[in-house]
Amino acid sequence: MRVGFIVGEFPLLSETFVADQMAGLLARGFDVEVVCDRTKGDDRIDRQSEPMATLLARTQHWWRWAAGLSKFVRRLPPRLRYKASTALDAVFARRLNRCDVIVAHFGQNGERAAALKKWKVLKPPVITIFHGADVAIPARQAVLSTQYAGLIKHGTLNLPVNDYFRTMLLEAGLSQSSTTVHHMGIDSLEIGYRWESWEGTQLVVTTVCRLVEKKGVEFALRALASLKASHPEIDWRYDIIGDGPLRMDLEKLALELGLAGRVTFLGSLPHAEVKQRLRKAHLFLLPSITASDGDMEGIPVALMEAMAAGLIAVSTYHSGIPELIEDRETGLLAPERDVSLLAGKLAWAAEHPAECERIALAARRKVEEDFNADALNERFAQIVIQLAAQGFAPEPARHVGVAEGLADPSSAG
């Protein structure tokens, strides 16, 4: 069975969940091909090891030999740009009709496929996976229903990564029957669980993220400054791993708040060093917020990884995060932008390491049970099989045998 993935840029280190889903289908015997606008030359991605080597060998630019036209098309006025890009998509869409199912990551790529369905150029059923900005920003701008008008009429299945986004999509006009939640997950078996109490020692707080507005690092700094003032007896340090457009502003803020001796901006680090630093940390702080342009998180993979590793996740009631974290059960949550309550959560954690051990164990179980990448990839494989079984015949009708042991397609949830 052949599955075609439509993505914008591939591969991206910030979108490992896309490659992991592709790898999950490969491992189950599916034939995967990738169509994208740009290939990313990121030295941090190992392009020689499997499954990435196989995926890259099956990756093509959407417009193939005409890819150079993209710069010209982007400079056209919006309406003409849409017509030109759709025409070029139609010219090069034929090879996608060799697939049994099309999977588009991010709503804009799903809408692109839906335009071809509208003109009867693209034949396979289209699954669109919504992740965050592709729902939240057009919802803030009140254009969600118009931006995805094609998917409302021609999309086969829509899979937002959390229930918060599903509600937004239903309000925009997508049907109940075509829209269901499908979480992203992690391989918790690759992450060793380790609990170490901070009683009698320095509390190590860590954040790993891109330094952009929605990550809420500003409020992490303000909450820690409040903690320093209200609980001077608590010994803590804060390590921030990652880079981004707000780094200079955040470094300046840390100085203004008097945190220079407690906060370290480490920048982007190799994955091995990130793992090493996480093993030495106690709390993982990610107070996500809705950005000024409406951008939101889905359910951050970084939180899942921290919880699997035994860290106490401290975050916010934001987007789908409460689907992962229940306050005082699997982590700690405060309202968005509430510095006082966030500082209170940090103080409580610092003063209750014994109770936090119970939370850490429950968090590990939550990730293993509900955000297990292998189980989620199995469910996704069944969804693909079920759609393909509804009667579409690809051209040419060539199928690769699916691995033995898959459940009946009717069991897909």
Side-chain angles (χ1 to χ4, degrees):
M1 180 173 293
R2 178 178 291 173
V3 181
F5 281 83
I6 299 176
V7 295
E9 196 164 347
F10 184 79
L12 282 175
L13 196 62
S14 60
E15 297 176 6
T16 55
F17 47 85
V18 175
D20 288 346
Q21 188 176 78
M22 296 173 183
L25 292 184
L26 282 177
R28 288 163 173 79
F30 289 74
D31 202 2
V32 172
E33 74 171 65
V34 184
V35 174
C36 66
D37 289 315
R38 298 170 300 280
T39 55
K40 178 77 173 179
D42 193 325
D43 294 337
R44 294 172 294 176
I45 296 175
D46 185 352
R47 292 168 169 257
Q48 307 304 317
S49 298
E50 294 297 343
M52 185 54 68
T54 294
L55 290 174
L56 287 172
R58 301 179 182 183
T59 298
Q60 298 182 46
H61 283 278
W62 182 285
W63 295 342
R64 300 179 73 181
W65 52 264
L69 294 175
S70 60
K71 294 180 181 179
F72 169 75
V73 172
R74 282 198 297 268
R75 290 196 292 265
L76 295 172
R79 183 169 293 185
L80 188 56
R81 181 171 65 242
Y82 172 80
K83 290 182 178 180
S85 61
T86 301
L88 283 164
D89 285 353
V91 170
F92 293 100
R94 181 174 176 83
R95 71 182 181 283
L96 290 174
N97 286 328
R98 298 177 299 176
C99 298
D100 298 270
V101 173
I102 300 299
V103 178
H105 272 276
F106 297 95
Q108 58 269 29
N109 291 316
E111 183 66 18
R112 188 174 182 178
L116 297 179
K117 295 283 285 185
K118 173 184 176 181
W119 297 108
K120 303 187 185 303
V121 174
L122 190 65
K123 297 179 181 179
V126 175
I127 299 173
T128 302
I129 302 178
F130 294 86
H131 291 278
D134 52 349
V135 181
I137 291 177
R140 166 66 67 87
Q141 297 170 347
V143 296
L144 197 59
S145 59
T146 54
Q147 183 161 322
Y148 297 129
L151 278 174
I152 291 171
K153 291 183 178 180
H154 304 287
T156 311
L157 182 62
N158 305 291
L159 301 179
V161 297
N162 63 44
D163 194 57
Y164 191 90
F165 291 157
R166 181 177 187 268
T167 298
M168 285 183 169
L169 291 171
L170 293 178
E171 290 173 351
L174 275 73
S175 69
Q176 292 268 357
S177 60
S178 71
T179 310
T180 189
V181 175
H182 183 75
H183 290 142
M184 296 291 104
I186 63 169
D187 185 353
S188 57
L189 295 178
E190 289 188 350
I191 302 174
Y193 176 85
R194 174 182 173 274
W195 168 260
E196 185 173 332
S197 175
W198 49 88
E199 188 170 5
T201 188
Q202 184 182 57
L203 177 68
V204 180
V205 184
T206 298
T207 291
V208 181
C209 71
R210 180 163 165 74
L211 300 181
V212 295
E213 186 182 1
K214 70 178 178 181
K215 299 299 181 180
V217 178
E218 171 193 343
F219 298 94
L221 292 170
R222 294 188 185 280
L224 286 166
S226 176
L227 179 69
K228 179 184 175 185
S230 62
H231 294 76
E233 76 282 2
I234 297 176
D235 182 20
W236 57 267
R237 82 166 195 260
Y238 183 31
D239 295 333
I240 301 173
I241 302 172
D243 216 329
L246 295 184
R247 178 171 176 173
M248 290 182 63
D249 291 341
L250 293 169
E251 288 177 336
K252 181 180 178 182
L253 178 62
L255 289 173
E256 292 173 352
L257 294 171
L259 300 178
R262 302 260 193 138
V263 177
T264 305
F265 288 82
L266 296 165
S268 297
L269 298 176
H271 187 58
E273 188 172 348
V274 173
K275 290 173 65 177
Q276 184 180 14
R277 287 187 174 273
L278 285 175
R279 282 196 293 269
K280 297 177 181 178
H282 303 118
L283 268 59
F284 189 90
L285 180 56
L286 192 71
S288 302
I289 63 169
T290 302
S292 53
D293 65 355
D295 193 9
M296 302 178 78
E297 306 272 23
I299 303 179
V301 169
L303 285 174
M304 301 176 200
E305 293 175 339
M307 292 164 66
L311 280 70
I312 298 300
V314 183
S315 190
T316 48
Y317 290 100
H318 168 84
S319 188
I321 290 174
E323 295 172 41
L324 172 67
I325 300 174
E326 183 180 354
D327 187 43
R328 294 283 186 99
E329 295 296 329
T330 53
L332 300 172
L333 295 178
E336 288 186 41
R337 303 173 187 266
D338 194 322
V339 171
S340 177
L341 284 180
L342 183 59
K345 297 294 181 180
L346 293 169
W348 184 89
E351 295 171 343
H352 296 85
E355 292 184 48
C356 283
E357 183 174 8
R358 170 190 60 81
I359 292 174
L361 284 167
R364 172 75 185 199
R365 287 195 297 271
K366 175 68 173 180
V367 173
E368 289 177 337
E369 293 171 3
D370 295 342
F371 294 88
N372 180 308
D374 188 59
L376 290 166
N377 284 337
E378 176 67 18
R379 176 179 184 261
F380 187 70
Q382 294 302 321
I383 290 171
V384 170
I385 291 171
Q386 188 175 33
L387 284 186
Q390 291 177 356
F392 167 73
E395 54 176 68
R398 174 178 172 268
H399 296 263
V400 176
V402 179
E404 295 181 3
L406 288 180
D408 189 303
S410 63
S411 68

